[in-house]
Amino acid sequence: MDRITRRDMLAGATGAAVAGIAAPLAAAPSPESLDAIARTRGMRFGSAVNWSAPGADAGSFANPAYARLVEAECGLIVAENEMKWQRLRPTPTAFAFERFDAILGWAERHALAVRGHNLLWHQPKWFPQWLNDYDFGARPRVEAERLLTTHIQTVLGRYGTRIGSYDVVNEAVRPADGVLYDTALSRATGGPEPTLDLAFHTARTAAPHAQLVYNDYMSWEPGNAAHRAGVLRLLEGFRRRGTPVDALGIQSHLVTQGPDIGATVGRQQGEWRHFLDAVTQMGYALLVTELDVRDNGLPADIAMRDQGVADYTRAYLDLTLSYRSLRDVLCWGLCDRYSWIEGFEPRRDGARRRPTLYDDRFRPKPMRAAVAAAFAGASMR
Ligand code: XIL
């Protein structure tokens, strides 16, 4: 693993090339960190972080190179996987808190705030197998409600005010038609709406201090219209029923559409504004929770690709950050080396994906400068 320094990390933001090895990173965030720039506008910057064995080559707090990067740039973090049912709930009666506890402990030692992701990823695909196969017995509704409320009360009771914001429900809307997913829980409870409502009510009671978020990946690219419409219907329903939901988490797994970024943005911005207007007019705050970019339709050439990704990110953030209820921007990982995108959707030409702010060798990319510029250009909140 290459040794990285704060000067190396910040070189991309200023355009100054830093050769050789400078002093090691200090623990305190640099005044020029993305979080520091965000804070001048009343905002925060953060990233997802993973768990691993100490020293593993992973996007983990236990990998010193990655931890230094996160500590240098971020004011808050989110566990990429360790709060999900698949990790936290090995069996119907057990909780496995050790890995999430380790991430939280590290974050607190470095004065990083922590978001909770997530309390209910409402798709069978993301349930633990035991939950998909669960026998709810003679009174299925009572048992399903007990399972769900016990889960949320246990997690929130354990972490108390150490976590200030939760993705209570994640991805409940089918992108193809905007209809809500059914799961073993919703079938037992009497439908998806009562299940999601129960999750939010339980969270509000168990953690009255916390921001409660509905989080999803409806985006501004073509093909997302049904997904956006479904999310709007869900958010309208929450308001109608008095479900306590404070904010919409916009995952922001962006996808470039070709080399002409200006034309792409021109085509997409109207509908995106329309969507964000509708969400905010219902009184929801916004967050960007999982920003990264799939560099589709861009040439393999690295300089051209990175510039396209940066320009696309800048245009997206300029528009999205113009909504002043939006205070937090989190990336889904900070370093290409560990991004989930390569495994999720590799490039057709076989070139390695470059979805994040730092390259495989921890060098800042134009996307890092684009995020910094978007924060610097954002209005005060
Ligand atoms: C992804 C993780 O990055 C992967 O490591 C894991 O295998 C699957 O989940 N939307 C979400 C995140 O809400 O939880 C997902 O994270 C990415 C898409």
Side-chain angles (χ1 to χ4, degrees):
M1 179 77 34
D2 292 327
R3 185 177 147 94
I4 47 159
T5 68
R6 183 194 301 165
R7 284 174 62 210
D8 292 334
M9 288 178 195
L10 295 170
T14 60
V18 178
I21 300 297
L25 280 171
S30 153
E32 298 121 318
S33 75
L34 288 172
D35 187 62
I37 300 169
R39 277 176 203 262
T40 66
R41 299 296 184 269
M43 304 176 73
R44 300 188 295 185
F45 176 76
S47 174
V49 173
N50 253 310
W51 181 93
S52 74
D57 188 10
S60 158
F61 73 96
N63 170 1
Y66 190 73
R68 276 198 299 270
L69 183 55
V70 175
E71 290 158 20
E73 290 284 32
C74 295
L76 79 162
I77 61 120
V78 59
E80 185 165 344
N81 289 304
E82 305 306 333
M83 192 179 266
K84 297 169 180 173
W85 282 62
Q86 283 187 343
R87 300 292 172 94
L88 218 50
R89 301 301 305 276
T91 73
T93 49
F95 285 80
F97 285 121
E98 299 75 17
R99 293 180 175 193
F100 185 83
D101 285 354
I103 294 178
L104 181 59
W106 162 78
E108 289 178 338
R109 285 195 296 281
H110 294 279
L112 296 162
V114 179
R115 299 201 65 244
H117 173 81
N118 53 63
L119 300 174
L120 179 62
W121 194 346
H122 199 240
Q123 296 179 34
K125 182 180 171 189
W126 299 111
F127 275 18
Q129 198 51 46
W130 66 257
L131 184 53
N132 282 320
D133 299 341
Y134 196 72
D135 177 2
F136 291 89
R139 299 165 72 205
R141 187 168 65 79
V142 173
E143 178 56 7
E145 290 179 356
R146 188 198 63 77
L147 257 182
L148 180 59
T149 56
T150 303
H151 178 84
I152 293 173
Q153 285 160 356
T154 304
V155 174
L156 273 52
R158 182 179 184 88
Y159 296 118
T161 54
R162 297 165 77 189
I163 296 182
S165 173
Y166 283 94
D167 294 332
V168 177
V169 174
N170 196 41
E171 299 182 0
V173 175
R174 298 197 313 216
D177 57 10
V179 172
L180 297 177
Y181 288 98
D182 257 312
T183 65
L185 280 180
S186 66
R187 279 187 293 273
T189 311
E193 286 92 346
T195 309
L196 309 186
D197 288 357
L198 180 62
F200 280 105
H201 280 291
T202 307
R204 180 64 98 217
T205 304
H209 69 280
Q211 177 192 50
L212 305 185
V213 178
Y214 175 72
N215 191 51
D216 209 334
Y217 62 90
M218 69 286 122
S219 195
W220 69 338
E221 287 92 9
N224 281 268
H227 199 178
R228 287 194 301 267
V231 169
L232 286 183
R233 278 194 300 276
L234 178 64
L235 295 178
E236 282 158 14
F238 285 149
R239 282 291 180 257
R240 213 170 35 243
R241 299 189 298 273
T243 312
V245 184
D246 301 313
L248 174 67
I250 306 163
Q251 291 185 5
S252 309
H253 296 292
L254 307 182
V255 190
T256 55
Q257 304 289 306
D260 191 341
I261 302 298
T264 305
V265 170
R267 281 193 301 274
Q268 295 173 183
Q269 61 186 358
E271 290 203 29
W272 189 236
R273 236 180 246 291
H274 181 76
F275 174 73
L276 297 179
D277 285 346
V279 174
T280 51
Q281 278 160 16
M282 285 188 263
Y284 293 100
L286 304 173
L287 301 75
V288 169
T289 51
E290 306 184 11
L291 175 65
D292 56 23
V293 183
R294 266 169 277 166
D295 47 16
N296 288 5
L298 299 180
D301 175 83
I302 284 176
M304 291 170 75
R305 220 169 0 132
D306 284 356
Q307 195 56 51
V309 165
D311 293 347
Y312 194 64
T313 303
R314 176 75 198 273
Y316 175 80
L317 288 179
D318 281 351
L319 195 169
T320 307
L321 301 191
S322 73
Y323 290 80
R324 292 175 61 170
S325 71
L326 198 159
R327 289 172 176 270
D328 291 336
V329 175
L330 292 94
C331 289
W332 208 239
L334 282 187
C335 181
D336 292 346
R337 188 178 186 90
Y338 309 118
S339 168
W340 74 301
I341 292 292
E342 186 64 33
F344 176 68
E345 188 194 316
R347 267 177 74 97
R348 290 199 188 145
D349 64 6
R352 253 184 82 75
R353 289 285 195 186
R354 301 177 64 80
T356 75
L357 276 55
Y358 283 80
D359 74 7
D360 279 336
R361 299 182 57 209
F362 295 85
R363 292 172 302 200
K365 296 158 54 190
M367 185 180 172
R368 196 265 178 207
V371 174
F375 278 132
S379 55
M380 185 66 197
R381 42 217 77 199

